[in-house]
Amino acid sequence: KTHPPLQKAFLFFRLAASSPTPGAAFRHDRYTYTSMLHLLGEAGRVPAMLHLLAEMLRAGVDPDAATFTTVMHWLARAGDVDAAMRVWEEMRSRRGKCRPTLVSYTACVKILFDAGRAAEGRRVFEEMVAEGLRPSCTTYTVLIEHLADAGKFQATLQIMSDMQDAGVEPDKPLCNILVKKCASAGETSVMTFILQHMKEKGIVLRRPVFLEALEALKASGESPNLLWEVNPHLASEGMEYDPTFSHLSCITDRSTIIYLLASRNWSAIEQMVNELTTRNVKFESHILSDIIQASCANCRPSCGLTVLYYSLRVGSELDRSAYSCLLGQYIRNDSFDLVSKIVERLIKHGCNLGAYLLSVLILRLGSAGHSSYAAHIFGLSPADQNVITYTALMNAYFQAGEVDKALELFSQMITNEISASAGTYEVLIYGLQKAGRKQDSDRYRRERMEMQWHRQYRDKHSPEDSLCDHLFCGFHG
């Protein structure tokens, strides 16, 4: 469940229940079904999630409250609140077998509040209390967040007072959420009350929220002393308040991006980067490179692509490893048209991919049978047209069965005074043999022997020849 590729989890889910030995197959229960439903919902595969739920019911496995709550949550996240509420009603109708829990009620209230159906949300909350369920801090957080979004900040203080009277103390997530809402709305009086509570309880703010609160206090002309007293750890990290600092928003953006990267919140990073693009804010290249590599490692290349386009717009050149990760991800996904467009944009913006990376791209495209894309990438960078990239494109043509084009390219290479290496001849000989052109193959075999005879008297080989030999000697497609 913790491994990012959903396909592997789903494959294991199926394999576990498909033992060929009669009676030895694992029988999925509501726990394994619920885990798989959660993974499908998290990946946005809502139809597949509903299909699996139906399969669960057909198998005679009764869903519990956790199952219904999971399905309800992901339906709402997908924008289908009505379907989520139908699942809620189905759960309520099964009170004999499946009674909604505190978590279920809290999730339902949040779904309704987020959908702007506050009256229904209040009725569900009242039903929860009537059922004898005691609201948790998470439940109160949902109520407070709703009131803050509605601009009713004084009412949030009343809820905080009520929850403390009920023996539930506001925790760090609640305080951070409320301070962030106050900072966004410029509500510094309520923020001061929350900060005082945090000081008494030893609760600190997350760094991005702290920076937003600092900016709000600065904008209102109020003293940030209490904020610093609540968060002495930031001063110990070497961060000091400078009233003359005029680029606090940039610091906030940077801290927020780093936090989102640490929490692997790819959707939020995409939204934030799109916003930064419109503001033409420039970020450090190493942060952008880290985002691309991490998003590809977590199978979220769309986030990496957004960051790449942003870097091109603001003129930030990234690490070559970031380009390799992103292009490799799309090649593995068979998105060859997109690979070609990415490379084209990179080269047009002056990014130097280098002969090695280009040759690897051409090789991968050729192996997939896309010689036209390989030729397009080859033609984009005349400065990198050397024995390595020429040989890679010849191999792509042979892979596609375009033998005459491969031979024409070899003649063009010789005309341009680029000497063939042993790797080049390896590709030619093998490609011609595979095409059934033995006479041509034997001719290039003799040329290779002659080339190797002369080469043994040379003191050293060029780096391009050595790399080409490394890539293609012994390489057969």
Side-chain angles (χ1 to χ4, degrees):
K1 183 177 176 181
T2 58
H3 195 63
L6 173 67
Q7 293 87 345
K8 292 184 179 179
F10 192 68
L11 178 62
F12 181 75
F13 179 85
R14 290 301 189 202
L15 286 174
S18 60
S19 172
T21 306
F26 174 79
R27 178 176 169 78
H28 287 297
D29 56 18
R30 63 177 180 268
Y31 303 108
T32 54
Y33 269 115
T34 301
S35 293
M36 197 65 238
L37 288 168
H38 170 72
L39 284 173
L40 290 167
E42 188 177 33
R45 306 280 291 276
V46 173
M49 179 184 72
L50 296 176
H51 180 79
L52 186 63
L53 178 62
E55 177 187 311
M56 177 182 179
L57 295 171
R58 287 195 302 271
V61 180
D62 289 328
D64 60 6
T67 309
F68 282 118
T69 304
T70 297
V71 174
M72 184 172 67
H73 169 76
W74 290 115
L75 282 170
R77 285 287 294 270
D80 197 345
V81 177
D82 290 336
M85 297 315 298
R86 287 195 293 273
V87 173
W88 167 252
E89 293 300 333
E90 175 66 20
M91 176 166 49
R92 291 176 72 241
S93 70
R94 293 173 170 244
R95 287 185 180 273
K97 296 181 179 179
C98 173
R99 183 181 180 183
T101 63
L102 174 62
V103 174
S104 306
Y105 274 106
T106 301
C108 185
V109 171
K110 179 170 175 57
I111 288 168
L112 291 168
F113 279 160
D114 289 348
R117 294 159 65 167
E120 294 177 65
R122 285 191 290 270
R123 284 198 295 272
V124 172
F125 179 79
E126 290 166 2
E127 178 187 314
M128 178 190 76
V129 175
E131 286 286 323
L133 295 172
R134 181 184 174 191
S136 66
C137 189
T138 304
T139 313
Y140 283 116
T141 301
V142 170
L143 294 174
I144 288 173
E145 192 171 4
H146 165 67
L147 291 170
D149 286 336
K152 300 177 180 179
F153 287 98
Q154 292 301 321
T156 64
L157 297 182
Q158 183 60 49
I159 294 291
M160 285 188 66
S161 176
D162 291 344
M163 66 186 289
Q164 288 175 293
D165 291 342
V168 182
E169 285 295 328
D171 60 5
K172 180 177 178 179
L174 190 156
C175 293
N176 272 266
I177 288 171
L178 193 48
V179 169
K180 180 179 174 63
K181 299 287 185 184
C182 289
S184 299
E187 182 56 65
T188 54
S189 59
V190 174
M191 184 197 298
T192 300
F193 182 89
I194 306 302
L195 290 174
Q196 189 61 49
H197 168 80
M198 295 177 71
K199 181 181 176 182
E200 293 171 3
K201 301 298 180 180
I203 300 173
V204 298
L205 290 172
R206 292 183 288 107
R207 191 184 187 98
V209 178
F210 168 85
L211 290 169
E212 287 190 50
L214 186 60
E215 189 169 18
L217 291 170
K218 177 186 174 184
S220 65
E222 297 185 32
S223 170
N225 291 341
L226 178 59
L227 182 64
W228 282 103
E229 290 173 16
V230 173
N231 301 278
H233 64 294
L234 294 176
S236 68
E237 291 178 13
M239 187 175 176
E240 298 181 1
Y241 175 61
D242 180 2
T244 63
F245 185 60
S246 60
H247 301 291
L248 190 55
S249 61
C250 296
I251 300 175
T252 305
D253 291 336
R254 184 180 185 277
S255 299
T256 304
I257 281 283
I258 292 173
Y259 169 75
L260 293 173
L261 176 59
S263 59
R264 300 294 191 258
N265 194 337
W266 309 115
S267 298
I269 290 176
E270 282 191 60
Q271 291 177 348
M272 188 167 180
V273 169
N274 285 327
E275 181 190 339
L276 294 173
T277 303
T278 61
R279 288 160 46 195
N280 203 31
V281 177
K282 192 169 184 177
F283 255 80
E284 296 100 320
S285 295
H286 69 90
I287 295 178
L288 301 177
S289 297
D290 288 346
I291 293 173
I292 289 177
Q293 293 184 64
S295 65
C296 290
N298 285 269
C299 299
R300 288 297 296 270
S302 62
C303 179
L305 187 61
T306 300
V307 173
L308 174 67
Y309 287 159
Y310 159 78
S311 71
L312 294 176
R313 177 161 180 170
V314 299
S316 294
E317 185 165 352
L318 309 181
D319 296 339
R320 199 169 292 176
S321 57
Y323 300 140
S324 301
C325 281
L326 188 60
L327 291 168
Q329 187 73 38
Y330 280 114
I331 285 174
R332 287 189 291 275
N333 292 343
D334 295 337
S335 303
F336 301 109
D337 183 54
L338 188 54
V339 168
S340 179
K341 289 177 181 176
I342 291 172
V343 173
E344 185 171 356
R345 288 192 66 169
L346 287 172
I347 292 175
K348 283 184 178 178
H349 280 81
C351 297
N352 179 22
L353 297 180
Y356 178 74
L357 179 53
L358 282 175
S359 64
V360 170
L361 284 171
I362 293 169
L363 268 176
R364 293 298 300 271
L365 291 168
S367 297
H370 292 278
S371 59
S372 58
Y373 287 133
H376 179 64
I377 288 176
F378 174 82
L380 289 173
S381 183
D384 289 311
Q385 290 179 1
N386 55 28
V387 65
I388 308 170
T389 50
Y390 266 106
T391 304
L393 184 55
M394 284 179 220
N395 182 75
Y397 282 139
F398 278 125
Q399 290 277 350
E402 298 173 311
V403 178
D404 291 335
K405 284 189 177 181
L407 295 177
E408 287 172 14
L409 186 66
F410 178 73
S411 300
Q412 178 186 324
M413 184 182 81
I414 301 302
T415 301
N416 292 337
E417 298 182 348
I418 298 174
S419 300
S421 71
T424 308
Y425 282 112
E426 183 85 5
V427 168
L428 280 169
I429 293 166
Y430 178 78
L432 289 167
Q433 281 180 338
K434 191 176 178 182
R437 295 174 62 163
K438 186 177 183 303
Q439 187 175 355
D440 290 330
S441 173
D442 290 343
R443 178 164 64 88
Y444 286 114
R445 184 177 281 107
R446 289 191 295 272
E447 281 191 21
R448 181 178 63 179
M449 292 176 61
E450 185 177 347
M451 180 271 297
Q452 289 173 332
W453 172 264
H454 290 291
R455 180 179 280 190
Q456 66 181 327
Y457 297 105
R458 288 161 54 184
D459 294 334
K460 59 181 180 180
H461 310 307
S462 70
E464 289 83 6
D465 285 346
S466 299
L467 183 55
C468 188
D469 293 348
H470 172 75
L471 284 172
F472 297 103
C473 282
F475 178 87
H476 300 306

